[in-house]
Amino acid sequence: MTHKPEISLEAVEAILLAADAANQPVPETIDEQLLYYYRHRHGLRPEVNAALHRLPPERFAHFSEQLQQALTAREKELPDSTELAFAEWVHEPAFEEQWIADIVRNAGEALRTKNFYTAYHTLTSMFRDALGGSVYAVAIFDRALAELAKLDRFATSSVGALLRLMFRRVRFMALRGTTPRGLEAVLPGEDLRFVDRIDEAIGKEDPLVGLTPAEVDTLFTAWSAMNWDGTLGLREMFNRDSTPPAIETRPWPELVVHVEATSLHRLESGERQHRSLSRLFARPEPLADRIALAESIAAFAKAHGDAGHDAMQRVLPAIVPHVAAANLELKGALEAAAFRAFRAGELKDLLRTLPRRQRSAWIDKLLKAKNDKHRQLARAYADELL
């Protein structure tokens, strides 16, 4: 087709998908219409790709041959304009290897700088251009992931966890329109503690398209169990009520499991929006049990730098009043988090409620510090104790 179709690409795709869903013959006219749009640098959607692969074999082979010609012409006109979504028809190993190398280079930089967001936008753009490749693209994703697994800190760092989550969700989105699609990779599991919102686990690009009602229910039920504080954004994803049971009434062992799998950002935002931590630590369970849960959070936070410190700025005000009321001192990672705040001059009113002996020990530490600012702060704290 040399002239633009009278209907939009979206309308052409709708005709294809409707016929495919109804198991009816796909009108012959859509082949040339799709080829025109792909020749003129329009993208390929994964569910459209999946439907094309269900065309009769001879027709699909003919379409593939024409598409390859269209892509060749497109590339001559504008070099490097072909997205990875069309890799199946490009038939160039170097094209795929270059994409993998670019993914590994950008992800490696994120690992090196310990900052996922240095590469986030580049990786997101690359994956968005690849989603339409469907099953073929997923095989390329898996090859890239295998290369990433060889890099230092990929298996042990928070950046590595965020990269793994990204691969899982783009893999899931790329398989829209295929059956069986498989939910295992996007159910709560490994790296759950780095999920701030549901779309970070299952995707933002229409991830539920093509799922059966039963599959959607499975996802909703599994993630609802994790949504103890109402911060996962389930309502926006599933368009249904996702209000969790009251924190005050849920079984404590169940809450402990879910809280210990909650991301630092969620802990912070949950307390800010719903006072989730304050309500959690005000429960009537033995104080030792509540302190143990807070200590578990603090131990995880300690390994995550500023993000951990920010979360502990919400955890400490929720647990310290109960510890101070019992005239107990903080221990372990909880003490380390509190001392970091004390050393920074933060949470003064809260931390001065702790036993005098603990505060005196912290002041002695600061007086011996090499940092003039810390020694000055120690003297100010000492004046308050007198």
mmCIF file of all heavy atoms in Angstrom, residues 98-127 144 148 151 154 159-160 163 166-167:
data_model
loop_
_atom_site.group_PDB
_atom_site.id
_atom_site.type_symbol
_atom_site.label_atom_id
_atom_site.label_comp_id
_atom_site.label_asym_id
_atom_site.label_seq_id
_atom_site.Cartn_x
_atom_site.Cartn_y
_atom_site.Cartn_z
ATOM 1 N N GLN A 98 23.537 -5.573 20.166
ATOM 2 C CA GLN A 98 23.761 -4.173 20.518
ATOM 3 C C GLN A 98 22.744 -3.703 21.560
ATOM 4 O O GLN A 98 23.081 -2.981 22.492
ATOM 5 C CB GLN A 98 23.681 -3.279 19.272
ATOM 6 C CG GLN A 98 24.008 -1.808 19.540
ATOM 7 C CD GLN A 98 25.400 -1.615 20.097
ATOM 8 O OE1 GLN A 98 26.381 -2.045 19.493
ATOM 9 N NE2 GLN A 98 25.500 -0.984 21.258
ATOM 10 N N TRP A 99 21.506 -4.146 21.400
ATOM 11 C CA TRP A 99 20.467 -3.780 22.375
ATOM 12 C C TRP A 99 20.821 -4.349 23.740
ATOM 13 O O TRP A 99 20.733 -3.640 24.756
ATOM 14 C CB TRP A 99 19.114 -4.304 21.906
ATOM 15 C CG TRP A 99 17.953 -3.819 22.722
ATOM 16 C CD1 TRP A 99 17.232 -2.686 22.543
ATOM 17 C CD2 TRP A 99 17.396 -4.472 23.887
ATOM 18 N NE1 TRP A 99 16.251 -2.581 23.510
ATOM 19 C CE2 TRP A 99 16.320 -3.650 24.332
ATOM 20 C CE3 TRP A 99 17.690 -5.648 24.565
ATOM 21 C CZ2 TRP A 99 15.547 -3.993 25.444
ATOM 22 C CZ3 TRP A 99 16.920 -5.985 25.682
ATOM 23 C CH2 TRP A 99 15.869 -5.160 26.103
ATOM 24 N N ILE A 100 21.238 -5.606 23.778
ATOM 25 C CA ILE A 100 21.621 -6.233 25.046
ATOM 26 C C ILE A 100 22.798 -5.488 25.665
ATOM 27 O O ILE A 100 22.814 -5.207 26.868
ATOM 28 C CB ILE A 100 21.975 -7.722 24.822
ATOM 29 C CG1 ILE A 100 20.709 -8.499 24.440
ATOM 30 C CG2 ILE A 100 22.626 -8.320 26.062
ATOM 31 C CD1 ILE A 100 20.974 -9.935 24.018
ATOM 32 N N ALA A 101 23.781 -5.143 24.847
ATOM 33 C CA ALA A 101 24.961 -4.430 25.353
ATOM 34 C C ALA A 101 24.570 -3.076 25.939
ATOM 35 O O ALA A 101 25.106 -2.651 26.975
ATOM 36 C CB ALA A 101 25.984 -4.244 24.233
ATOM 37 N N ASP A 102 23.622 -2.391 25.300
ATOM 38 C CA ASP A 102 23.179 -1.084 25.806
ATOM 39 C C ASP A 102 22.435 -1.233 27.129
ATOM 40 O O ASP A 102 22.591 -0.405 28.042
ATOM 41 C CB ASP A 102 22.282 -0.392 24.773
ATOM 42 C CG ASP A 102 23.051 0.078 23.546
ATOM 43 O OD1 ASP A 102 24.295 0.163 23.625
ATOM 44 O OD2 ASP A 102 22.411 0.341 22.508
ATOM 45 N N ILE A 103 21.627 -2.281 27.240
ATOM 46 C CA ILE A 103 20.931 -2.545 28.498
ATOM 47 C C ILE A 103 21.944 -2.808 29.614
ATOM 48 O O ILE A 103 21.857 -2.245 30.711
ATOM 49 C CB ILE A 103 19.978 -3.752 28.353
ATOM 50 C CG1 ILE A 103 18.746 -3.380 27.510
ATOM 51 C CG2 ILE A 103 19.548 -4.275 29.724
ATOM 52 C CD1 ILE A 103 17.728 -2.527 28.215
ATOM 53 N N VAL A 104 22.908 -3.669 29.334
ATOM 54 C CA VAL A 104 23.901 -4.040 30.339
ATOM 55 C C VAL A 104 24.749 -2.834 30.732
ATOM 56 O O VAL A 104 25.061 -2.634 31.913
ATOM 57 C CB VAL A 104 24.785 -5.197 29.828
ATOM 58 C CG1 VAL A 104 25.935 -5.467 30.794
ATOM 59 C CG2 VAL A 104 23.948 -6.456 29.635
ATOM 60 N N ARG A 105 25.098 -2.004 29.763
ATOM 61 C CA ARG A 105 25.915 -0.820 30.068
ATOM 62 C C ARG A 105 25.164 0.138 30.995
ATOM 63 O O ARG A 105 25.717 0.618 31.997
ATOM 64 C CB ARG A 105 26.304 -0.098 28.786
ATOM 65 C CG ARG A 105 27.264 1.074 29.035
ATOM 66 C CD ARG A 105 27.605 1.842 27.778
ATOM 67 N NE ARG A 105 26.473 2.622 27.288
ATOM 68 C CZ ARG A 105 25.748 2.299 26.235
ATOM 69 N NH1 ARG A 105 26.030 1.212 25.537
ATOM 70 N NH2 ARG A 105 24.730 3.057 25.854
ATOM 71 N N ASN A 106 23.909 0.409 30.681
ATOM 72 C CA ASN A 106 23.127 1.336 31.501
ATOM 73 C C ASN A 106 22.826 0.759 32.880
ATOM 74 O O ASN A 106 22.930 1.456 33.899
ATOM 75 C CB ASN A 106 21.820 1.699 30.780
ATOM 76 C CG ASN A 106 22.030 2.727 29.689
ATOM 77 O OD1 ASN A 106 22.144 3.918 29.943
ATOM 78 N ND2 ASN A 106 22.097 2.268 28.438
ATOM 79 N N ALA A 107 22.452 -0.509 32.929
ATOM 80 C CA ALA A 107 22.188 -1.140 34.218
ATOM 81 C C ALA A 107 23.473 -1.227 35.045
ATOM 82 O O ALA A 107 23.452 -1.035 36.268
ATOM 83 C CB ALA A 107 21.605 -2.538 34.005
ATOM 84 N N GLY A 108 24.577 -1.496 34.377
ATOM 85 C CA GLY A 108 25.859 -1.558 35.073
ATOM 86 C C GLY A 108 26.232 -0.228 35.689
ATOM 87 O O GLY A 108 26.793 -0.173 36.794
ATOM 88 N N GLU A 109 25.916 0.862 34.995
ATOM 89 C CA GLU A 109 26.192 2.184 35.537
ATOM 90 C C GLU A 109 25.348 2.433 36.787
ATOM 91 O O GLU A 109 25.821 3.026 37.769
ATOM 92 C CB GLU A 109 25.903 3.252 34.482
ATOM 93 C CG GLU A 109 26.146 4.683 34.926
ATOM 94 C CD GLU A 109 27.604 4.991 35.235
ATOM 95 O OE1 GLU A 109 28.483 4.159 34.917
ATOM 96 O OE2 GLU A 109 27.865 6.059 35.797
ATOM 97 N N ALA A 110 24.095 1.982 36.766
ATOM 98 C CA ALA A 110 23.237 2.126 37.942
ATOM 99 C C ALA A 110 23.806 1.342 39.127
ATOM 100 O O ALA A 110 23.805 1.820 40.260
ATOM 101 C CB ALA A 110 21.823 1.651 37.617
ATOM 102 N N LEU A 111 24.300 0.152 38.856
ATOM 103 C CA LEU A 111 24.900 -0.649 39.918
ATOM 104 C C LEU A 111 26.180 -0.004 40.439
ATOM 105 O O LEU A 111 26.424 0.030 41.649
ATOM 106 C CB LEU A 111 25.213 -2.062 39.398
ATOM 107 C CG LEU A 111 24.011 -2.976 39.166
ATOM 108 C CD1 LEU A 111 24.417 -4.182 38.329
ATOM 109 C CD2 LEU A 111 23.415 -3.433 40.495
ATOM 110 N N ARG A 112 26.976 0.541 39.525
ATOM 111 C CA ARG A 112 28.240 1.148 39.923
ATOM 112 C C ARG A 112 28.012 2.383 40.799
ATOM 113 O O ARG A 112 28.701 2.594 41.794
ATOM 114 C CB ARG A 112 29.059 1.529 38.689
ATOM 115 C CG ARG A 112 30.469 2.035 38.997
ATOM 116 C CD ARG A 112 31.167 2.558 37.758
ATOM 117 N NE ARG A 112 30.530 3.769 37.246
ATOM 118 C CZ ARG A 112 30.715 4.984 37.772
ATOM 119 N NH1 ARG A 112 31.505 5.148 38.822
ATOM 120 N NH2 ARG A 112 30.113 6.035 37.246
ATOM 121 N N THR A 113 27.030 3.199 40.416
ATOM 122 C CA THR A 113 26.764 4.439 41.169
ATOM 123 C C THR A 113 25.807 4.221 42.333
ATOM 124 O O THR A 113 25.527 5.155 43.092
ATOM 125 C CB THR A 113 26.161 5.500 40.234
ATOM 126 O OG1 THR A 113 24.924 5.004 39.677
ATOM 127 C CG2 THR A 113 27.124 5.832 39.097
ATOM 128 N N LYS A 114 25.301 2.997 42.461
ATOM 129 C CA LYS A 114 24.351 2.657 43.528
ATOM 130 C C LYS A 114 23.094 3.523 43.448
ATOM 131 O O LYS A 114 22.495 3.884 44.455
ATOM 132 C CB LYS A 114 25.005 2.803 44.907
ATOM 133 C CG LYS A 114 26.226 1.933 45.095
ATOM 134 C CD LYS A 114 26.841 2.111 46.477
ATOM 135 C CE LYS A 114 28.100 1.272 46.627
ATOM 136 N NZ LYS A 114 28.707 1.422 47.967
ATOM 137 N N ASN A 115 22.707 3.836 42.213
ATOM 138 C CA ASN A 115 21.535 4.700 41.995
ATOM 139 C C ASN A 115 20.759 4.178 40.790
ATOM 140 O O ASN A 115 21.142 4.413 39.642
ATOM 141 C CB ASN A 115 21.971 6.142 41.772
ATOM 142 C CG ASN A 115 20.792 7.099 41.669
ATOM 143 O OD1 ASN A 115 19.636 6.689 41.592
ATOM 144 N ND2 ASN A 115 21.075 8.388 41.663
ATOM 145 N N PHE A 116 19.665 3.483 41.066
ATOM 146 C CA PHE A 116 18.845 2.904 40.002
ATOM 147 C C PHE A 116 18.340 3.968 39.031
ATOM 148 O O PHE A 116 18.230 3.729 37.827
ATOM 149 C CB PHE A 116 17.656 2.170 40.646
ATOM 150 C CG PHE A 116 16.632 1.654 39.678
ATOM 151 C CD1 PHE A 116 16.927 0.633 38.796
ATOM 152 C CD2 PHE A 116 15.345 2.189 39.657
ATOM 153 C CE1 PHE A 116 15.976 0.143 37.913
ATOM 154 C CE2 PHE A 116 14.382 1.713 38.784
ATOM 155 C CZ PHE A 116 14.702 0.687 37.914
ATOM 156 N N TYR A 117 18.072 5.162 39.534
ATOM 157 C CA TYR A 117 17.416 6.178 38.719
ATOM 158 C C TYR A 117 18.360 6.894 37.760
ATOM 159 O O TYR A 117 17.907 7.660 36.915
ATOM 160 C CB TYR A 117 16.664 7.156 39.621
ATOM 161 C CG TYR A 117 15.541 6.430 40.319
ATOM 162 C CD1 TYR A 117 15.701 5.950 41.623
ATOM 163 C CD2 TYR A 117 14.359 6.125 39.645
ATOM 164 C CE1 TYR A 117 14.690 5.222 42.239
ATOM 165 C CE2 TYR A 117 13.358 5.393 40.255
ATOM 166 C CZ TYR A 117 13.518 4.948 41.546
ATOM 167 O OH TYR A 117 12.531 4.207 42.142
ATOM 168 N N THR A 118 19.668 6.618 37.852
ATOM 169 C CA THR A 118 20.568 7.143 36.828
ATOM 170 C C THR A 118 20.300 6.466 35.485
ATOM 171 O O THR A 118 20.601 7.027 34.437
ATOM 172 C CB THR A 118 22.042 6.923 37.210
ATOM 173 O OG1 THR A 118 22.288 5.511 37.349
ATOM 174 C CG2 THR A 118 22.394 7.631 38.501
ATOM 175 N N ALA A 119 19.743 5.265 35.533
ATOM 176 C CA ALA A 119 19.479 4.513 34.295
ATOM 177 C C ALA A 119 17.996 4.305 34.030
ATOM 178 O O ALA A 119 17.622 3.816 32.962
ATOM 179 C CB ALA A 119 20.169 3.146 34.366
ATOM 180 N N TYR A 120 17.151 4.686 34.978
ATOM 181 C CA TYR A 120 15.727 4.340 34.892
ATOM 182 C C TYR A 120 15.074 4.829 33.596
ATOM 183 O O TYR A 120 14.407 4.055 32.890
ATOM 184 C CB TYR A 120 14.985 4.909 36.097
ATOM 185 C CG TYR A 120 13.483 4.738 36.008
ATOM 186 C CD1 TYR A 120 12.891 3.514 36.270
ATOM 187 C CD2 TYR A 120 12.664 5.807 35.634
ATOM 188 C CE1 TYR A 120 11.515 3.348 36.181
ATOM 189 C CE2 TYR A 120 11.289 5.645 35.543
ATOM 190 C CZ TYR A 120 10.719 4.418 35.807
ATOM 191 O OH TYR A 120 9.371 4.261 35.705
ATOM 192 N N HIS A 121 15.245 6.101 33.261
ATOM 193 C CA HIS A 121 14.544 6.645 32.102
ATOM 194 C C HIS A 121 15.053 6.031 30.793
ATOM 195 O O HIS A 121 14.260 5.731 29.888
ATOM 196 C CB HIS A 121 14.676 8.169 32.072
ATOM 197 C CG HIS A 121 13.947 8.845 33.197
ATOM 198 N ND1 HIS A 121 12.577 8.813 33.321
ATOM 199 C CD2 HIS A 121 14.400 9.541 34.276
ATOM 200 C CE1 HIS A 121 12.208 9.462 34.409
ATOM 201 N NE2 HIS A 121 13.295 9.919 35.011
ATOM 202 N N THR A 122 16.367 5.820 30.699
ATOM 203 C CA THR A 122 16.921 5.195 29.495
ATOM 204 C C THR A 122 16.417 3.768 29.354
ATOM 205 O O THR A 122 15.983 3.349 28.270
ATOM 206 C CB THR A 122 18.459 5.213 29.545
ATOM 207 O OG1 THR A 122 18.910 6.561 29.595
ATOM 208 C CG2 THR A 122 19.043 4.534 28.315
ATOM 209 N N LEU A 123 16.468 3.006 30.438
ATOM 210 C CA LEU A 123 16.004 1.621 30.385
ATOM 211 C C LEU A 123 14.509 1.549 30.084
ATOM 212 O O LEU A 123 14.062 0.700 29.305
ATOM 213 C CB LEU A 123 16.305 0.913 31.705
ATOM 214 C CG LEU A 123 17.782 0.675 32.030
ATOM 215 C CD1 LEU A 123 17.932 0.085 33.427
ATOM 216 C CD2 LEU A 123 18.415 -0.246 30.999
ATOM 217 N N THR A 124 13.731 2.444 30.689
ATOM 218 C CA THR A 124 12.288 2.462 30.437
ATOM 219 C C THR A 124 12.003 2.708 28.964
ATOM 220 O O THR A 124 11.146 2.040 28.358
ATOM 221 C CB THR A 124 11.608 3.550 31.294
ATOM 222 O OG1 THR A 124 11.782 3.232 32.672
ATOM 223 C CG2 THR A 124 10.121 3.635 30.991
ATOM 224 N N SER A 125 12.708 3.653 28.358
ATOM 225 C CA SER A 125 12.519 3.950 26.946
ATOM 226 C C SER A 125 12.896 2.762 26.079
ATOM 227 O O SER A 125 12.178 2.413 25.124
ATOM 228 C CB SER A 125 13.360 5.174 26.560
ATOM 229 O OG SER A 125 13.233 5.458 25.193
ATOM 230 N N MET A 126 13.999 2.109 26.404
ATOM 231 C CA MET A 126 14.432 0.949 25.628
ATOM 232 C C MET A 126 13.429 -0.187 25.718
ATOM 233 O O MET A 126 13.096 -0.826 24.713
ATOM 234 C CB MET A 126 15.810 0.488 26.099
ATOM 235 C CG MET A 126 16.939 1.456 25.783
ATOM 236 S SD MET A 126 18.541 0.847 26.367
ATOM 237 C CE MET A 126 18.782 -0.572 25.274
ATOM 238 N N PHE A 127 12.931 -0.440 26.913
ATOM 239 C CA PHE A 127 11.956 -1.520 27.076
ATOM 240 C C PHE A 127 10.624 -1.168 26.424
ATOM 241 O O PHE A 127 9.955 -2.047 25.858
ATOM 242 C CB PHE A 127 11.755 -1.830 28.559
ATOM 243 C CG PHE A 127 12.800 -2.737 29.141
ATOM 244 C CD1 PHE A 127 13.549 -2.340 30.238
ATOM 245 C CD2 PHE A 127 13.030 -3.981 28.593
ATOM 246 C CE1 PHE A 127 14.510 -3.184 30.782
ATOM 247 C CE2 PHE A 127 13.983 -4.829 29.123
ATOM 248 C CZ PHE A 127 14.730 -4.435 30.216
ATOM 249 N N ALA A 144 19.656 -10.715 28.113
ATOM 250 C CA ALA A 144 20.208 -9.531 28.772
ATOM 251 C C ALA A 144 20.287 -9.754 30.285
ATOM 252 O O ALA A 144 21.275 -9.382 30.937
ATOM 253 C CB ALA A 144 19.351 -8.306 28.462
ATOM 254 N N LEU A 148 23.406 -9.515 32.978
ATOM 255 C CA LEU A 148 23.376 -8.678 34.173
ATOM 256 C C LEU A 148 23.708 -9.484 35.429
ATOM 257 O O LEU A 148 24.333 -8.969 36.366
ATOM 258 C CB LEU A 148 22.003 -8.041 34.347
ATOM 259 C CG LEU A 148 21.656 -6.850 33.458
ATOM 260 C CD1 LEU A 148 20.262 -6.344 33.781
ATOM 261 C CD2 LEU A 148 22.664 -5.736 33.648
ATOM 262 N N LEU A 151 27.193 -9.319 36.838
ATOM 263 C CA LEU A 151 27.765 -8.079 37.339
ATOM 264 C C LEU A 151 27.820 -8.047 38.863
ATOM 265 O O LEU A 151 26.963 -8.604 39.545
ATOM 266 C CB LEU A 151 26.935 -6.876 36.853
ATOM 267 C CG LEU A 151 26.839 -6.682 35.335
ATOM 268 C CD1 LEU A 151 26.041 -5.422 35.026
ATOM 269 C CD2 LEU A 151 28.223 -6.590 34.699
ATOM 270 N N PHE A 154 24.742 -7.164 41.534
ATOM 271 C CA PHE A 154 23.410 -7.370 40.961
ATOM 272 C C PHE A 154 22.553 -8.233 41.885
ATOM 273 O O PHE A 154 21.366 -7.980 42.051
ATOM 274 C CB PHE A 154 23.510 -8.028 39.584
ATOM 275 C CG PHE A 154 22.176 -8.299 38.955
ATOM 276 C CD1 PHE A 154 21.412 -7.269 38.432
ATOM 277 C CD2 PHE A 154 21.660 -9.589 38.901
ATOM 278 C CE1 PHE A 154 20.165 -7.515 37.863
ATOM 279 C CE2 PHE A 154 20.418 -9.837 38.334
ATOM 280 C CZ PHE A 154 19.669 -8.804 37.813
ATOM 281 N N VAL A 159 19.715 -1.822 44.120
ATOM 282 C CA VAL A 159 19.649 -1.507 42.685
ATOM 283 C C VAL A 159 19.417 -2.783 41.886
ATOM 284 O O VAL A 159 18.617 -2.815 40.946
ATOM 285 C CB VAL A 159 20.935 -0.801 42.214
ATOM 286 C CG1 VAL A 159 20.929 -0.622 40.694
ATOM 287 C CG2 VAL A 159 21.078 0.553 42.894
ATOM 288 N N GLY A 160 20.106 -3.852 42.264
ATOM 289 C CA GLY A 160 19.889 -5.130 41.591
ATOM 290 C C GLY A 160 18.452 -5.606 41.736
ATOM 291 O O GLY A 160 17.854 -6.114 40.781
ATOM 292 N N LEU A 163 16.269 -3.632 39.398
ATOM 293 C CA LEU A 163 16.473 -4.080 38.012
ATOM 294 C C LEU A 163 15.733 -5.393 37.764
ATOM 295 O O LEU A 163 15.103 -5.569 36.719
ATOM 296 C CB LEU A 163 17.966 -4.249 37.728
ATOM 297 C CG LEU A 163 18.769 -2.952 37.589
ATOM 298 C CD1 LEU A 163 20.260 -3.246 37.616
ATOM 299 C CD2 LEU A 163 18.393 -2.217 36.300
ATOM 300 N N MET A 166 12.123 -4.693 37.327
ATOM 301 C CA MET A 166 11.870 -4.102 36.016
ATOM 302 C C MET A 166 11.798 -5.176 34.943
ATOM 303 O O MET A 166 10.883 -5.186 34.106
ATOM 304 C CB MET A 166 12.958 -3.081 35.679
ATOM 305 C CG MET A 166 12.858 -2.510 34.271
ATOM 306 S SD MET A 166 14.080 -1.212 33.934
ATOM 307 C CE MET A 166 13.107 0.250 34.345
ATOM 308 N N PHE A 167 12.725 -6.109 34.972
ATOM 309 C CA PHE A 167 12.717 -7.185 33.975
ATOM 310 C C PHE A 167 11.465 -8.036 34.100
ATOM 311 O O PHE A 167 10.880 -8.451 33.097
ATOM 312 C CB PHE A 167 13.968 -8.058 34.113
ATOM 313 C CG PHE A 167 15.116 -7.604 33.277
ATOM 314 C CD1 PHE A 167 15.984 -6.617 33.727
ATOM 315 C CD2 PHE A 167 15.320 -8.136 32.015
ATOM 316 C CE1 PHE A 167 17.043 -6.187 32.950
ATOM 317 C CE2 PHE A 167 16.368 -7.717 31.221
ATOM 318 C CZ PHE A 167 17.247 -6.740 31.685
#
